[in-house]
Amino acid sequence: MQIRFVFRHMDPSKTLREYTEKKVGRLDKLSTKIIDVQATFVQEKADTIVELRANFQGHTAKALERDNDPYAAIDLVIDKFERQVLRILARARENRHETIQPEYQPE
């Protein structure tokens, strides 16, 4: 899984990158189908906006969070992102295991 970082209106921080890589690494445990992740950090006045976008095989997930502390924003966006990934995987699992019951069952 590749992780791309975009910093807008703020200086790129090595500690912020490492923290994000560590947290995004948790997503590898959920699914091996994640191809790449883009983490965007935007500084607006006192708030930091963190946006994550990920490409799956056939799906794209996006999560956005805003907080004063960039590390807290990363934690919030990862939690939201995990829920989205689990929902996408559950839908795929339901569709894959859907079976059609025959109308006639022999006795």
Side-chain angles (χ1 to χ4, degrees):
M1 172 174 58
Q2 295 179 343
I3 304 173
R4 291 181 288 148
F5 293 95
V6 177
F7 291 90
R8 293 191 183 126
H9 308 294
M10 63 186 299
D11 295 326
S13 166
K14 184 178 179 182
T15 57
L16 203 57
R17 284 179 188 245
E18 290 173 353
Y19 187 76
T20 306
E21 286 175 354
K22 177 182 156 192
K23 292 293 183 175
V24 170
R26 290 183 359 195
L27 298 175
D28 269 343
K29 296 176 185 175
L30 295 177
S31 174
T32 58
K33 296 180 181 183
I34 299 175
I35 299 170
D36 68 333
V37 176
Q38 178 177 343
T40 305
F41 298 89
V42 181
Q43 184 71 40
E44 282 188 1
K45 296 185 182 179
D47 289 343
T48 301
I49 301 171
V50 178
E51 178 184 0
L52 284 181
R53 289 178 183 255
N55 293 320
F56 293 80
Q57 294 174 342
H59 296 284
T60 301
K62 174 185 166 186
L64 180 95
E65 275 299 329
R66 173 187 300 249
D67 201 324
N68 291 337
D69 181 27
Y71 296 99
I74 291 169
D75 290 338
L76 292 171
V77 79
I78 287 292
D79 291 340
K80 185 184 282 188
F81 202 73
E82 281 181 352
R83 288 192 301 269
Q84 285 185 10
V85 169
L86 290 174
R87 192 173 350 149
I88 289 171
L89 294 175
R91 284 182 189 158
R93 204 173 313 119
E94 287 173 7
N95 290 340
R96 183 175 51 227
H97 292 296
E98 188 174 296
T99 59
I100 300 173
Q101 298 294 330
E103 292 178 19
Y104 170 76
Q105 292 189 4
E107 297 177 21

